[in-house]
Amino acid sequence: MNTYRIVRSLAIALFAVLTGAISPGGPLDARPARAATLTVTQLGDSGLGSLRQAMLDATAGGGFDEIVFTVSGTILLGSSHPAMNDPAGVRIRAA
């Protein structure tokens, strides 16, 4: 490998670390997860905008999440709610 290629490779790697594209610990050193705001827009037991879907998305996404309600009323669950076991946590608030 010639000197130009080595310098170019190092410059690309440094740029990737500085912009956060990769972490300096290597490929197994995960970047911090980003928070998500998940909105409950309907009172149904499942489907897009449901509390169940928001809970599933919060658990699957990793990182701290917030579930926000834009509706009021009673949600009747057809089965037990999904487990929420994300160590980063979740906040639930009503609008």
Side-chain angles (χ1 to χ4, degrees), residues 3-90:
T3 305
Y4 171 76
R5 285 186 184 174
I6 294 172
V7 171
R8 184 172 181 265
S9 296
L10 289 173
I12 291 170
L14 179 60
F15 177 79
V17 169
L18 292 176
T19 59
I22 61 170
S23 58
L28 298 179
D29 185 5
R31 292 174 45 198
R34 302 207 173 170
T37 299
L38 307 161
T39 306
V40 177
T41 58
Q42 54 115 336
L43 298 175
D45 179 47
S46 62
L48 187 64
S50 68
L51 174 60
R52 182 179 302 277
Q53 189 61 53
M55 293 173 74
L56 291 169
D57 292 347
T59 301
F64 181 80
D65 297 303
E66 181 176 48
I67 297 176
V68 178
F69 288 82
T70 61
V71 295
S72 62
T74 302
I75 299 172
L76 299 175
L77 299 178
S79 60
S80 59
H81 63 78
M84 302 217 31
N85 54 10
D86 187 345
V90 65

